[in-house]
Amino acid sequence: MHIVLDDTAMAAAGQGNILASRLIHRAHAEPDWFLYAPACALVEADRARPGTAEHLAALPGITVLDLDLPAALAVARQETWAAAHAQYTAQPTPDRPDGAVIATTAPKRWEGQPVRVLDLTP
């Protein structure tokens, strides 16, 4: 299972959201669970809740994804960097042929977008 945390999910994890905490635990404990934190979304989460970036980056089950050139080009065409980097990360790749699911506490943000969503709203 490949899951991308958007900025709202990252901020929720820092506030003790039980569903986000379960995802983090599974990504650490189960071999086929992967949790990704796109760098642009991580920045927005840290702006919303200072300390979030350091906390999430230190967790062993989370992979922070840099803004490489293909991601930068995708982000440049969008309105918000955080959502654009999360959406780019969720797209299919050779390592993730089915793409990834975006975990969020703001599922309406993703309506009409070509992504699968996991609602973390308690």
Side-chain angles (χ1 to χ4, degrees):
M1 176 64 89
H2 296 274
I3 300 173
V4 176
L5 297 172
D6 77 356
D7 56 308
T8 67
M10 292 182 208
Q15 294 173 323
N17 178 295
I18 190 69
L19 299 173
S21 295
R22 286 180 184 164
L23 285 178
I24 292 167
H25 173 74
R26 287 190 107 165
H28 176 67
E30 296 185 29
D32 292 333
W33 279 71
F34 302 94
L35 209 51
Y36 304 100
C40 293
L42 192 60
V43 168
E44 281 304 310
D46 200 69
R47 286 180 178 163
R49 190 170 189 282
T52 299
E54 292 86 358
H55 174 71
L56 290 176
L59 296 173
I62 296 179
T63 301
V64 176
L65 299 176
D66 295 330
L67 186 65
D68 60 9
L69 180 58
L73 294 174
V75 165
R77 292 189 281 271
Q78 300 294 324
E79 200 170 304
T80 66
W81 287 31
H85 199 188
Q87 182 175 348
Y88 172 80
T89 302
Q91 300 308 306
T93 66
D95 294 340
R96 299 184 304 271
D98 294 328
V101 176
I102 295 180
T104 185
T105 60
K108 290 189 185 289
R109 168 197 282 181
W110 298 104
E111 287 179 355
Q113 299 299 318
V115 295
R116 294 175 291 154
V117 172
L118 176 61
D119 186 354
L120 299 182
T121 307

